[in-house]
Structure formats: C-alpha cells, structure tokens
Amino acid sequence: MKTTISSIINSTGNARYRLLDILHKLQSEYKFISEDIIDELSTDMDISPSQIKQVISFYHYLYDKNMGEYTIHINRSVVALISGYAEVVKTLEEECNCKLESLSESAKFGLWNTSCIGMSDQEPAILINGLPFTDLTPEKTKNIISDLKEGVELKQLFNKYETDKYKLLIGQSSVNKTKTYIRGPLLDNDYSNFSAVELLNTRNSPSDILGIISDSGLQGRGGAGFPAGRKWKAAAKVKSEKKYVICNADEGEPGTFKDRVLLTEKPEKIFEGMLICAYAIGAHKGILYLRKEYEYMKPYLENVLQQMRDKGILGRDNSYNFEMRIQIGAGAYVCGEASALLESMEGKRGEPREKYMQPTEFGYLGKPTIVNNVETFAIVPSIIKNGAEWYKAYGTKFSAGTKVLSIAGDCAKPGIYELPWGITVDTILKLSYAKNSKAVIVGGMSGKLIPPEEFDRKICYSDLATGGAFMILNNNRNLLKDVVLPALDFFIDESCGSCSTCRNVPGYLREIARYMEHKKLSEKDLLRIEEWSKLLSISRCGLGKSVSSLLIGFIRKFTDDYEIEDSIEDNFLSVN
Ligand code: SF4
C-alpha cells in the first residue's frame, strides 16, 4: 500500500488541491479508502486524517467502506420514478439478493440510490462501476445481472447492451443515444471548429472580445444568469500573474442532461470558448470540472484536448500559451454552485463560500478565476465569429440568445431542444408531443411547478429562468408522491449542512409532506410553511433557498389534487 500511495503521489504531486484526484486513484485501486490508507496519506500529504475523512464523507462517490465488487447506483430522479424505477429496483434486489442501500452477502453487488446521473431521457437508468445502462426493463436488468454473475466483463457487457444505440467514441465504448430535435446557433453543425480562435490576435484583441461578449447580452447558462461579459471584464482588470478559466460541467440538477450532450457533440466549441475567455482575461490555465457521473467521457474528452495540442491550438508553446486539464468531481449537487466547485477543486468539502468572496478576484487557489458552465462557453466561438448583433437577434430584449433544454418525462419526444428564450411552455409541450399534461417542472428540483393555467408563461430570465431542466407530468401522476416528496428527500440528501436553516427546515417540511399523504392541512398550517420558507431565504446558497419551491407550488396551484381545509386550526402541529 505504501508503495502504491507513493507512486500515485509521485504522479500527481502532494498539493492539497490534488486530493480528489489522489483519492479517486486510491479508490480505483482498493475499492474504498480505509483507515490505514487515510493514515498513510495523511503523512505523505501533511493533512490530518480527520480532514481527509471530512472530504471523503462529503461526496457520494468517495467510499470509506466496501460498496460491492459491482457498485450499482440507481437513478432516483422524478423522471426515473415515473418511468419504472420501482420495478427495476425490485428486480435488482431479487437478482442481486440484497436490499437497496446494502451489499449482497458475498459483497459481489451493492445497490445504492443516487439523485441523477444525467439520463432523464433514457430512464430507468443505472451506473455499474461508473458505466451507464439505460432504458432498463425488469427483463433487461435481470439479463445484465445474470451476465455479471456468469463473469462477463463489464465493458463487454456495456457493449452488448448499450453500444448499438451509442455512437460516440468514449475510450473503447461509446455513449449517447439522446435525440437532438431542434438545433440553433449553438448546436448547428455549420460552425467550423476553431475558426473563432483564428481571429484572435488578428481581428480581435482581448478588449474586443470583452466588448463583443458584453454587447451580445450573453448570460451564464447555469441558471443564475449573471452577465458573462461583466464577469469576464471583472477578472480581466485584476492584475495577477496567474488566472484560471474553469468550465463547470457538474451538471447535477435532476432532469438535466444537456451538458452530457454538449460535451459529447460539441466539445471543441466548449474548449474553444474557454480558450477565448482565457485570451480575453489573460489566463493561461483552464480546467474542466467534470461530474463523477460523467467520468466515462473523460478518455473521449482527453482525446479532443490532445487533438487541439496536435493542431497547435493548445499547449504552453503555442501563441495562446494556454493549457487545460480535466478534474473529476466526486458527486455533490451543491458543487454546481461556483464557489463550492472551487472548494472542491482545492481538495476540500464542496461547501459554498461566503458571497463577498468574488471568484473573479479570489477564485481557484486564491487567484482571479472565471467559472462558467458548459453551455455558456460553447456559444462563445459562434458569438465571436458572427458578432453580438447576430446573437441578440435570437431571444428577447432581456434574455438574448437561445437556451438548450433537456426535455423529459411524459412526452413522445424526450431529448434536446435548442430554443430561443421567450418560447412558451405550451409551445414546448407541442414540440415534444406531450399529451394530457398536468404539470411541468421548469428548472429541476429548485425550479417551479407550473399548472396548465400557466402554460402560456415564457422561458426567459424575467419569467421562468432555468438551467435547462424541463420535466413533463401527465394527468396520471401523483404530484405529491412523484415530485414533492422526492424533491424534499433530494434536498435533505444534498444539503452541505453549513446553514442551520438548510440543515433543519427541509426535514420539517418533509414531515409535513408525509402528513399530507393522508390528511388535510389547514390554512394556518400553510401559513406556517410559508413562514418557514421565508427562513430558508437566509440560507447561503440557492440550494437552501429553493427547498420549498415545489411544495408550495403544489399546495397553492394544484388545488384539485390537494385541498386545504378552510380552518385556523393547527392540523399538522396538533398531531406532531
Ligand atoms: S444553503 Fe444548504 S447547501 Fe447551501 S451552503 Fe447552506 S447548508 Fe450548504
């Protein structure tokens, strides 16, 4: 063990910011990180054992115990729940001979729930030792497990069950059967890769780039919508020898899968966008933070980076002096928040920083840093090539451009749609051939639950802003059971625990939601929920602030599904 740890550290160095990489390597060697490994590592890295344990305990995909020779993560998103999750779990439990959240007797299999693996268009889905198996039926599940018992090698199994549908090269295998129904300026196939980079130094100076991005009205596509130009300008004006450009590919919002598609279809545009940003702000290092659930894409993406080096676009010796690497995350929804992502990249627990610390001044390793998401970077080359006015011609006055939506749930055409901002919910339902829709969740678990009376609302920053998730539910769905309760489970699971509000209120709200399964709330109970929700607004990050959004949306807007008693009694509190 000593020798293995030393050789890993020899390859990565022992800086704290490499801790996640080191832990991933150790885990792939030993299956989990034991106390002995932690002690040894603590000496070699000069970090206390308890600090290492704190990091391991924070992430879903770092293990301090045996998770099974075949670690099976079962997606438990809303779309999975309405698409046959329960039958797949039942089959897995029978075939693996163990219950969910436990190991089989021989430890050959471990069955674990996970929030979302980015496969909402192909549910039910699981990851087996990191490889995705999708569109599961009880029969397909049974066959997969039976093959594993007979000793079929995992990659072979993946090829047997998934390859015919997956066409993009990923190491020896491939991924992506997602359908892209509508393409816009980002996804169109006319763009000639790296043609915007050719304009740097010739047509466009760094300040030209900053001007074009600002004038284009491009806003961060992660959900918050902060103007990209303003962010880039802030980092550009800070004087520092080192600056960083980070692409947030930690797409964890349940229901979203568009980054997976962009990463497989348009990786060149994403990396090109990062390079353009680096040129504009004066950075020489870029990092793609790829969520652990998408680790199977890493060889494919590394290959694209190598091609860029071969072409002389990337690397220390070329005219841009810009190099990139890929950092694998470890599974934590909150790391989608920029400052939490930076903490994670520094080898720490992914807890959001205080808001006064702006990444553009004090970001990765204390240096000026731009963090934008996959979709934001991917549109940059087209904007630079075609100009700000061209881009602004799409969308609305205050929401320029297009939005790539992940459409899933009860519709005939789940998949990717690149649509101009300002499009209505109703139009999207028609495009995706959704029938008898009872509700739409825009923006995932932290988003909004929209009833049919509001289907004329628009997808844009001034009405329904979204990072990309668009989940459709039809008249057969039980919103309390299929949406509200899983959402609260999700927030309880994913809270980093730093804020007392976010640590405590979701559990209380879940008790109320469970009570609602059998009994009626009174108006007074509802007012109490709204009071508690106001408390949530003082939470440090968006996760805590949005915990009650779907619950309140359900109670207030779906009165046919759940009737509030017109009484001032404390119905819930009187029995709790
Ligand atoms: S709101 Fe929740 S997830 Fe965000 S910092 Fe506070 S405890 Fe952590």
Side-chain angles (χ1 to χ4, degrees):
M1 181 183 73
K2 243 177 176 340
T3 336
T4 311
I5 295 179
S6 300
S7 103
I8 290 173
I9 288 183
N10 277 342
S11 69
T12 57
N14 74 344
R16 171 70 188 254
Y17 68 87
R18 297 311 299 268
L19 183 59
L20 285 195
D21 296 321
I22 293 167
L23 291 172
H24 285 318
K25 283 179 192 241
L26 283 166
Q27 190 164 283
S28 82
E29 188 72 27
Y30 297 104
K31 296 292 285 176
F32 67 100
I33 321 282
S34 65
E35 293 273 346
D36 288 348
I37 295 175
I38 292 171
D39 286 343
E40 192 62 41
L41 192 58
S42 147
T43 311
D44 285 10
M45 292 191 75
D46 201 19
I47 311 174
S48 73
S50 60
Q51 280 179 306
I52 299 176
K53 281 183 200 168
Q54 278 182 356
V55 170
I56 294 171
S57 66
F58 185 81
Y59 296 98
H60 298 307
Y61 291 90
L62 287 177
Y63 316 138
D64 60 1
K65 62 178 186 204
N66 189 354
M67 299 287 277
E69 182 187 340
Y70 292 106
T71 307
I72 303 179
H73 282 103
I74 308 146
N75 206 27
R76 192 177 179 269
S77 67
V78 167
V79 183
L81 290 172
I82 64 172
S83 308
Y85 161 90
E87 291 80 12
V88 167
V89 169
K90 184 167 172 279
T91 310
L92 282 168
E93 289 184 330
E94 283 165 8
E95 298 303 311
C96 299
N97 203 14
C98 65
K99 287 279 167 211
L100 192 56
E101 306 297 340
S102 72
L103 285 176
S104 62
E105 214 173 86
S106 58
K108 190 168 183 74
F109 299 105
L111 300 181
W112 317 99
N113 267 324
T114 192
S115 336
C116 189
I117 61 170
M119 290 288 178
S120 284
D121 56 330
Q122 309 167 39
E123 297 290 2
I126 56 176
L127 288 175
I128 306 181
N129 290 359
L131 280 184
F133 290 80
T134 67
D135 284 327
L136 295 175
T137 59
E139 197 192 349
K140 181 174 172 182
T141 310
K142 197 171 168 180
N143 292 338
I144 289 170
I145 300 301
S146 155
D147 282 351
L148 285 175
K149 283 181 184 163
E150 280 171 24
V152 179
E153 204 261 329
L154 190 59
K155 273 198 177 145
Q156 226 179 314
L157 195 68
F158 178 72
N159 288 335
K160 177 175 170 184
Y161 288 99
E162 308 294 325
T163 298
D164 57 334
K165 292 171 291 184
Y166 291 172
K167 59 182 180 356
L168 291 171
L169 186 71
I170 297 209
Q172 292 306 304
S173 306
S174 52
V175 164
N176 205 341
K177 69 167 182 170
T178 301
K179 287 207 168 54
T180 300
Y181 287 102
I182 298 184
R183 290 174 188 273
L186 197 166
L187 280 163
D188 81 42
N189 290 323
D190 294 337
Y191 178 77
S192 168
N193 288 332
F194 310 122
S195 53
V197 164
E198 285 167 15
L199 303 174
L200 307 181
N201 287 334
T202 53
R203 190 180 81 180
N204 297 127
S205 68
S207 65
D208 291 336
I209 300 287
L210 295 173
I212 296 169
I213 294 299
S214 287
D215 293 347
S216 73
L218 176 65
Q219 289 166 271
R221 292 294 190 252
F226 192 83
R230 205 190 311 163
K231 191 190 270 190
W232 292 19
K233 278 181 179 171
K237 78 173 183 211
V238 182
K239 296 218 178 324
S240 173
E241 273 180 21
K242 281 191 180 165
K243 294 183 185 180
Y244 295 96
V245 173
I246 291 171
C247 178
N248 180 349
D250 194 32
E251 173 177 59
E253 188 63 67
T256 318
F257 48 91
K258 47 112 189 159
D259 285 356
R260 173 173 56 80
V261 174
L262 292 173
L263 285 160
T264 44
E265 276 205 28
K266 303 285 173 195
E268 296 87 356
K269 282 187 96 172
I270 297 162
F271 295 142
E272 191 179 357
M274 290 174 72
L275 196 157
I276 293 168
C277 173
Y279 171 80
I281 68 161
H284 302 289
K285 181 91 192 168
I287 304 167
L288 175 86
Y289 183 96
L290 184 65
R291 71 187 301 225
K292 178 71 176 170
E293 291 87 339
Y294 292 168
E295 191 177 15
Y296 50 84
M297 287 184 204
K298 191 172 178 234
Y300 168 72
L301 295 168
E302 293 280 16
N303 190 35
V304 176
L305 290 178
Q306 190 51 48
Q307 285 172 18
M308 289 172 69
R309 285 185 199 104
D310 295 344
K311 283 182 202 290
I313 296 169
L314 207 61
R316 288 275 166 250
D317 301 328
N318 71 27
S319 46
Y320 312 110
N321 185 13
F322 183 65
E323 189 46 282
M324 264 190 250
R325 73 174 173 90
I326 298 173
Q327 165 80 60
I328 297 294
Y333 169 75
V334 70
C335 287
E337 197 273 346
S339 68
L341 180 138
L342 293 173
E343 289 289 296
S344 175
M345 289 183 60
E346 291 179 1
K348 303 175 201 155
R349 292 163 67 86
E351 291 171 2
R353 294 175 179 173
E354 296 291 350
K355 285 296 169 226
Y356 57 80
M357 291 164 79
Q358 289 302 325
T360 48
E361 289 169 30
F362 189 87
Y364 181 55
L365 303 177
K367 301 294 176 195
T369 303
I370 288 295
V371 183
N372 274 134
N373 89 338
V374 167
E375 191 181 341
T376 316
F377 282 124
I379 191 62
V380 165
S382 301
I383 296 176
I384 297 305
K385 185 96 191 284
N386 300 303
E389 292 307 315
W390 165 85
Y391 187 63
K392 280 200 296 198
Y394 297 95
T396 69
K397 190 172 176 196
F398 299 109
S399 301
T402 55
K403 181 78 197 90
V404 182
L405 294 173
S406 311
I407 296 186
D410 293 317
C411 64
K413 292 187 168 184
I416 295 296
Y417 294 69
E418 186 185 357
L419 297 164
W421 287 109
I423 196 149
T424 62
V425 169
D426 209 22
T427 308
I428 297 172
L429 292 173
K430 285 188 184 111
L431 289 170
S432 59
Y433 286 73
K435 293 222 169 78
N436 305 319
S437 305
K438 168 189 203 165
V440 169
I441 310 170
V442 179
M445 296 295 89
S446 48
K448 297 214 159 48
L449 193 58
I450 307 297
E453 311 82 81
E454 297 181 20
F455 283 175
D456 59 347
R457 289 181 67 179
K458 292 178 175 165
I459 305 295
C460 60
Y461 289 111
S462 54
D463 189 359
L464 295 171
T466 172
F470 189 99
M471 291 181 274
I472 305 166
L473 297 121
N474 71 21
N475 283 334
N476 299 323
R477 305 304 173 193
N478 177 328
L479 297 182
L480 183 59
K481 189 165 127 307
D482 295 331
V483 176
V484 176
L485 275 161
L488 292 166
D489 290 341
F490 169 78
F491 285 118
I492 289 165
D493 238 31
E494 297 293 341
S495 167
C496 81
S498 301
C499 316
S500 59
T501 44
C502 177
R503 205 167 51 235
N504 298 308
V505 177
Y508 177 70
L509 295 180
R510 181 167 68 180
E511 284 313 304
I512 295 178
R514 284 178 177 160
Y515 171 91
M516 288 165 63
E517 284 194 284
H518 313 288
K519 304 210 172 109
K520 281 187 181 172
L521 291 180
S522 64
E523 271 296 334
K524 189 161 182 186
D525 291 318
L526 180 54
L527 289 176
R528 197 175 303 278
I529 294 172
E530 286 173 337
E531 287 299 315
W532 280 100
S533 300
K534 278 185 204 146
L535 274 182
L536 282 166
S537 68
I538 60 166
S539 304
R540 194 186 299 167
C541 82
L543 186 153
K545 292 181 205 294
S546 46
V547 167
S548 59
S549 173
L550 297 182
L551 171 65
I552 291 182
F554 171 68
I555 299 173
R556 283 288 186 212
K557 296 179 177 176
F558 291 85
T559 45
D560 286 349
D561 285 42
Y562 191 81
E563 214 177 313
I564 295 283
E565 217 170 66
D566 188 16
S567 119
I568 53 155
E569 297 301 313
D570 258 328
N571 285 4
F572 172 70
L573 280 192
S574 65
V575 293
N576 285 277

